[in-house]
Amino acid sequence: MELVKGTATGVEKEPEDTIFSWPHLFYLEFLCVIIVTALLLIASIYLGAPLEEEASRDTTPNPMKAPWYFLGLQELLVFFDPWIAGVGLPILIAGGLMLIPFLDINPKGKGYYTYSERKFAVSSYGFGMALWLVLIVIGVWFRGLDWNWYWPWENGHIHKPPATGLEDLPIIFARVLGIGQFAGKALSDLIVLGYFGAGLIIPALYFKNFYKKLGFMRYVPLAVMYLIMIGIPIKVGLRLVFSIKYVILTPWFKI
Amino acid sequence: MASSNREKISEWVKSTQIYKAIFRHGYEDTPRNRSLTTFSNVLYHLHPVKTRWESIKFRYTWCMGGVSLLLFVMLALTGVMLMFYYVPDVRRAYQDIKDMMTVVSYGTTFRNIHRFAAQGMVATVWIHMTRVFLTGSYKSPREFNWIIGVVLLMLTLLLSWTGYLLPWDQLALWAITVGTKMAAATPLFGVEGPFGVQLGMRPDNDVKFMLLGGTEVGQNALLRFYVLHCVVLPMLVVVFLAVHFWRVRKDGFSGPL
């Protein structure tokens, strides 16, 4: 038994806000099944599922586009090595999504829509989803021959000259600052370290309450995931604006 | 006279042991029968007898979880239908699809439904995830169910990926070639990935080889993707779906308090 302050004995409001599943819920489900099935049938009658030429090793389609839901990954292949775009980032995305309930300890907004009570969570998720959608949109409508950028009004049958002049960041440093290759490499490594270091330390100092509430064990994975997510458009921007190919060079991998 | 005879017959049918063995309750509109309808039906009993008002609001759920399940069921049904006509042999797979589209009655429709339902399922699972995030429905005690949901999203994408190798058209060959090239670039487990060679990975023993059953996309790859697509992944989806729904049922609907 439980003691509750109040004038009425009916403290649980369950009796008033529930309805019988039969028929209310099942009618709706039935209606939903009919509508979706009808839409699917209509689509299947009026549109054809794509089927290309028989598989052949002699000709490679150009451009070779995956179905739309993988075009985000395919677009990332332009900017990252296959092990990052194809394996590393998908694992990080899946792992990051799984971590969400353990990193988000805000007790508000449980079971209802709210932006004002969980601005950080909603805006972060929105940012990630928007990034993914933008990559898909680029892949579907703006990529043509040789995976070059084609505006809708451009002739998609004319090849464009391949992108040239991409340089690695350490080499740019060495050339521009007139320092040795090793010093250039050390400088670019320092910048990347500084990005993650500053990204970890500054928010913790600036939003002290946020950090205290989260605790070290939650804050670090959250910050690292966040910095990697922001790092993707940064790397894309570096390449598009400054023609930088790699930022980190090691004998085993390049980023 | 006839109607009373009909009533008598219907009463007699309802009194037989066989009828009672199959149908456990009457159809009168009583609270008891409404409960029993939900409770004694194998498909309905996944639902609670009584539902919160909020859970049937379209504005709240967008019906996306249910539609994902519906599309999965449609995919299973049309997929079985396609399996009657399709042989995973590189010499005839493409022709089987062509036959399906020209010779088999409603073959094109079945194939189209399978393809569009697959695309739809990717979209609805994604929107379902977004809805669950925006309503904070993953918060305690539903953390683990969110994880299962992410696993189901991954399985949905893997089902799509293994599916489009099967028609053995140009998309199949080259998309899988690109996809498994990425697998070869897996750190540690792929021959071209960071630290792959250092760990003894070769083109004939790394993760790409395991996926393809060889070093390039060919007959073994087709058979492996066929078995993954038609047996392994759907079985995994069913297991995770069972846990997913059971958890939803036990944790209760997450609607506003």
Side-chain angles (χ1 to χ4, degrees):
Chain A
M1 213 183 121
E2 209 176 358
L3 286 176
V4 183
K5 273 186 191 170
T7 49
T9 44
V11 277
E12 302 247 5
K13 56 180 198 169
E14 209 164 329
E16 306 109 63
D17 72 351
T18 56
I19 43 167
F20 274 110
S21 299
W22 176 272
H24 306 284
L25 177 58
F26 296 126
Y27 272 12
L28 279 176
E29 288 180 348
F30 188 56
L31 194 67
C32 187
V33 168
I34 290 176
I35 292 172
V36 173
T37 311
L39 287 177
L40 206 53
L41 262 174
I42 291 168
S44 302
I45 289 165
Y46 286 100
L47 306 167
L51 183 69
E52 295 175 16
E53 317 251 295
E54 187 164 8
S56 158
R57 295 220 160 265
D58 305 331
T59 52
T60 315
N62 186 1
M64 177 59 248
K65 283 190 186 183
W68 59 269
Y69 36 85
F70 287 133
L71 282 183
L73 283 182
Q74 205 177 341
E75 182 61 26
L76 283 177
L77 273 174
V78 177
F79 304 99
F80 295 96
D81 281 359
W83 70 272
I84 303 177
V87 187
L89 287 177
I91 289 175
L92 278 175
I93 291 168
L97 284 172
M98 288 181 186
L99 278 180
I100 284 176
F102 304 97
L103 301 181
D104 177 10
I105 55 167
N106 181 359
K108 283 177 188 154
K110 192 190 280 187
Y112 57 96
Y113 294 107
T114 168
Y115 173 70
S116 55
E117 289 176 333
R118 39 196 300 246
K119 281 181 184 146
F120 180 69
V122 173
S123 54
S124 309
Y125 185 90
F127 178 79
M129 279 297 143
L131 185 62
W132 199 237
L133 274 175
V134 166
L135 289 173
I136 288 177
V137 166
I138 292 173
V140 173
W141 283 295
F142 296 100
R143 289 294 180 178
L145 287 174
D146 312 315
W147 210 256
N148 276 319
W149 188 288
Y150 282 82
W151 294 104
W153 54 86
E154 280 181 291
N155 186 342
H157 300 289
I158 299 169
H159 283 271
K160 288 192 170 182
T164 51
L166 287 181
E167 262 188 307
D168 300 331
L169 186 62
I171 294 164
I172 293 175
F173 278 142
R175 180 166 52 78
V176 174
L177 302 175
I179 49 178
Q181 287 243 350
F182 184 80
K185 215 162 122 29
L187 187 58
S188 59
D189 287 353
L190 262 179
I191 287 173
V192 175
L193 270 177
Y195 169 71
F196 279 94
L200 271 166
I201 294 164
I202 292 171
L205 293 176
Y206 196 73
F207 304 103
K208 264 195 183 130
N209 276 337
F210 179 74
Y211 174 76
K212 261 187 199 155
K213 264 189 218 155
L214 272 181
F216 183 76
M217 291 300 282
R218 284 198 175 89
Y219 175 76
V220 171
L222 176 70
V224 170
M225 288 282 182
Y226 212 86
L227 289 168
I228 293 174
M229 183 168 82
I230 307 268
I232 293 169
I234 291 180
K235 171 89 201 284
V236 171
L238 283 179
R239 187 185 154 117
L240 293 178
V241 180
F242 300 104
S243 300
I244 292 168
K245 191 166 188 198
Y246 292 114
V247 179
I248 299 175
L249 298 168
T250 75
W252 305 281
F253 59 85
K254 293 164 178 167
I255 294 174
Chain B
M1 198 64 197
S3 79
S4 79
N5 268 346
R6 200 183 297 149
E7 269 165 29
K8 265 184 203 163
I9 293 171
S10 117
E11 241 164 62
W12 174 78
V13 167
K14 283 179 182 168
S15 70
T16 58
Q17 196 180 354
I18 295 177
Y19 184 92
K20 282 179 179 167
I22 302 170
F23 303 102
R24 298 186 166 192
H25 57 89
Y27 196 74
E28 290 82 13
D29 187 11
T30 61
R32 188 183 138 81
N33 272 343
R34 285 187 172 193
S35 311
L36 283 171
T37 304
T38 309
F39 205 66
S40 63
N41 182 300
V42 67
L43 289 175
Y44 291 164
H45 91 283
L46 287 170
H47 300 81
V49 167
K50 282 190 149 194
T51 316
R52 300 258 306 278
W53 248 120
E54 284 78 14
S55 68
I56 65 169
K57 277 187 191 157
F58 177 77
R59 254 190 62 216
Y60 187 83
T61 63
W62 304 339
C63 298
M64 279 300 132
V67 172
S68 307
L69 171 69
L70 172 65
L71 292 176
F72 179 71
V73 172
M74 303 270 250
L75 283 161
L77 295 177
T78 51
V80 169
M81 155 76 190
L82 300 181
M83 283 170 81
F84 282 122
Y85 295 97
Y86 173 85
V87 177
D89 178 338
V90 292
R91 285 164 303 183
R92 57 175 292 192
Y94 186 76
Q95 292 311 320
D96 282 350
I97 301 287
K98 281 274 184 199
D99 280 353
M100 200 137 37
M101 291 169 71
T102 49
V103 184
V104 178
S105 304
Y106 300 107
T108 308
T109 313
F110 271 92
R111 180 171 173 263
N112 289 352
I113 293 176
H114 198 74
R115 186 71 165 236
F116 294 139
Q119 309 231 345
M121 194 173 149
V122 173
T124 55
V125 168
W126 194 355
I127 299 170
H128 175 57
M129 179 176 77
T130 301
R131 193 282 293 174
V132 169
F133 184 89
L134 290 179
T135 56
S137 304
Y138 57 82
K139 296 187 176 189
S140 174
R142 298 183 185 79
E143 302 100 325
F144 186 62
N145 218 11
W146 168 268
I147 294 184
I148 294 170
V150 177
V151 172
L152 284 167
L153 170 69
M154 298 297 135
L155 287 173
T156 306
L157 290 170
L158 284 175
L159 271 166
S160 284
W161 186 55
T162 52
Y164 62 74
L165 177 70
L166 304 182
W168 207 246
D169 60 351
Q170 282 288 59
L171 173 73
L173 179 70
W174 294 103
I176 303 297
T177 303
V178 172
T180 50
K181 255 191 190 147
M182 292 194 203
T186 308
L188 312 181
F189 301 111
V191 65
E192 286 154 30
F195 306 108
V197 175
Q198 285 82 353
L199 281 169
M201 289 300 152
R202 297 187 310 270
D204 63 347
N205 72 353
D206 71 340
V207 64
K208 179 187 174 189
F209 188 86
M210 188 188 80
L211 267 175
L212 293 182
T215 49
E216 59 177 44
V217 183
Q219 176 58 54
N220 286 350
L222 181 57
L223 187 59
R224 281 188 186 200
F225 275 61
Y226 179 72
V227 174
L228 283 173
H229 184 76
C230 302
V231 185
V232 179
L233 293 171
M235 271 183 355
L236 285 175
V237 168
V238 168
V239 170
F240 280 97
L241 274 183
V243 182
H244 201 59
F245 296 153
W246 184 79
R247 283 262 179 169
V248 171
R249 184 77 178 73
K250 293 294 163 184
D251 292 341
F253 185 75
S254 73
L257 294 168

